[in-house]
Amino acid sequence: MKEEEIKGILELLASPKKIAIIPHRSPDGDAMGSTLGLYHFLKKLNHEATVIAPNEFPEFLAWLPGSENVLIFEKDKENVAKVLQSADLIFTLDFNALHRTGEMENVLNKLKTPFIMIDHHQKPDDYATFMYSNTKFGSTCEMIYNFISYLGKKELLDETIASCLYTGIVTDSGSFRFPTTTSETHRVAAALLDLGARNGDIHNSLFDNNSYHRLQLLGRALQNLKVFPDYKTSYIRLTQQELDEFKYVKGDTEGIVNYGLTIKGIIFAAIFIENKEEGIVKISFRSQGDFDVNQFARQYFNGGGHINAAGGKSTKSLDETIKDFESILSQQNFNV
Ligand code: 5GP
Ligand code: MN
């Protein structure tokens, strides 16, 4: 961040303010960890901070400190819109285009409030007064640690903030294995452990909390896996009927897409999940190496993200969406 930006933000934070902190719709570990980490930090600076999520967050993140105070826009639109309208300052974390908040975008677009964006996705939109945007970071949580450090307020970091930030670093780095994981990421993680974050407990809360039904759903997903060795590609499909059969709850399909990449020789994996309620097929893409799924998701499936992890959606049927995907595959160059 530039010095004048840091000065500008410090001026905004110099007196107590009403601050709304917003993650993207269907928030993941990084979105919830970064918003809650910043929330605890801003409260220590005597601000009236509120995390406002566009929709529900998954159960496996409900242990995060402060998650019980998160407002959910889509559950109570009118009242939550009022909270947004009364904010003096708005942080948007872990996304960079207001449409990523779903219907909340309509409320946000009308506000004259200053926005601060902290994010690591490609191609940020131009809505924020201050922007700390850098795709070289593996997680927004790592950036929040830096942000607090840039403000010269590292002494306010504590075990609670550290636990939130450690969570997003772990989830967005695939437990420290994705290429954006640097020695600096490990230094930040080490600092968070020194502050009291309990890595073993956090890992257990995140990954060893499966329900029986979730594992059964995973079994079905793996049976549905289709492999195209010529295209170094695999994909998984899940119908709404299958989700219902295994008593799907939010978060149950998180991470399943990665199994496709674990097959030898596969560099591109996708999962197509039918969502009858929203009338869409939600898609996740993952890749290894130089195959750019952000570009792929943007070009063909109304989405975006990062080079090796992106998402998108389709309003066509599940079968048609997959048919489109297979025909697009044959036009790609997989010699990357
Ligand atoms: P996931 O597949 O886990 O939902 O998302 C992978 C990455 O792509 C995340 O960084 C997420 O924020 C981003 N992403 C997921 N869906 C979309 C989408 O519809 N649009 C854009 N721009 N990014 C997405
Ligand atoms: Mn992220």
Side-chain angles (χ1 to χ4, degrees), residues 14-283:
S15 56
K17 293 241 161 24
K18 283 188 187 157
I19 303 179
I21 312 167
I22 304 175
H24 54 78
R25 196 166 187 280
S26 299
D28 55 9
D30 190 31
M32 291 308 292
S34 59
T35 49
L36 286 168
L38 185 68
Y39 160 82
H40 292 292
F41 169 74
L42 291 173
K43 282 186 32 148
K44 282 180 114 172
L45 280 176
N46 293 321
H47 297 292
E48 196 184 307
T50 314
V51 174
I52 304 180
N55 64 344
E56 283 284 4
F57 52 87
E59 183 59 30
F60 75 91
L61 296 172
W63 62 273
L64 279 167
S67 64
E68 65 282 7
N69 299 326
V70 172
L71 300 184
I72 310 288
F73 175 77
E74 288 176 22
K75 258 174 48 184
D76 188 10
K77 290 178 195 162
E78 274 177 29
N79 283 320
V80 178
K82 281 185 199 144
V83 180
L84 282 169
Q85 283 149 358
S86 70
D88 307 309
L89 177 62
I90 295 181
F91 279 88
T92 64
L93 305 189
D94 200 36
F95 69 93
N96 60 19
L98 292 179
H99 67 80
R100 297 289 322 279
T101 63
E103 272 183 58
M104 205 160 110
E105 179 187 13
N106 301 325
V107 181
L108 296 176
N109 270 333
K110 293 196 189 94
L111 301 178
K112 300 275 180 283
T113 323
F115 280 74
I116 300 177
M117 176 206 298
I118 303 178
D119 178 63
H120 65 139
H121 290 86
Q122 312 221 351
K123 302 196 177 159
D125 277 359
D126 186 21
Y127 62 81
T129 312
F130 294 105
M131 229 161 104
Y132 176 29
S133 162
N134 191 334
T135 58
K136 93 176 198 315
F137 287 103
S139 66
T140 303
C141 279
E142 186 176 335
M143 299 175 76
I144 296 291
Y145 179 89
N146 290 346
F147 177 71
I148 291 172
S149 165
Y150 290 145
L151 297 183
K153 309 269 183 212
K154 260 167 86 169
E155 76 280 359
L156 291 183
L157 288 165
D158 59 19
E159 182 188 330
T160 303
I161 300 172
S163 301
C164 294
L165 299 185
Y166 190 86
T167 295
I169 292 177
V170 168
T171 56
D172 257 28
S173 70
S175 302
F176 299 98
R177 76 181 191 275
F178 296 153
T180 41
T181 307
T182 61
S183 58
E184 188 50 31
T185 310
H186 282 280
R187 272 188 280 276
V188 170
L192 297 175
L193 296 189
D194 286 341
L195 284 159
R198 287 195 283 267
N199 55 331
D201 291 351
I202 291 174
H203 205 276
N204 285 347
S205 306
L206 290 170
F207 303 116
D208 298 338
N209 249 330
N210 281 319
S211 66
Y212 171 76
H213 290 299
R214 191 206 173 227
L215 285 193
Q216 297 288 303
L217 177 66
L218 171 62
R220 175 65 61 83
L222 295 179
Q223 284 180 333
N224 291 350
L225 180 77
K226 215 168 157 186
V227 183
F228 295 86
D230 288 351
Y231 303 138
K232 300 179 183 169
T233 297
S234 71
Y235 74 77
I236 289 170
R237 66 152 77 206
L238 284 172
T239 62
Q240 182 72 59
Q241 203 185 343
E242 287 171 312
L243 297 175
D244 295 345
E245 185 182 336
F246 296 105
K247 303 190 176 7
Y248 166 83
V249 293
K250 210 174 179 59
D252 277 356
T253 53
E254 198 90 15
I256 294 182
V257 61
N258 295 307
Y259 284 91
L261 268 192
T262 65
I263 298 176
K264 193 171 177 187
I266 296 302
I267 60 157
F268 181 31
I271 187 167
F272 297 86
I273 303 170
E274 189 177 34
N275 183 333
K276 280 259 159 86
E277 194 186 327
E278 296 193 19
I280 60 165
V281 176
K282 178 70 189 132
I283 315 165

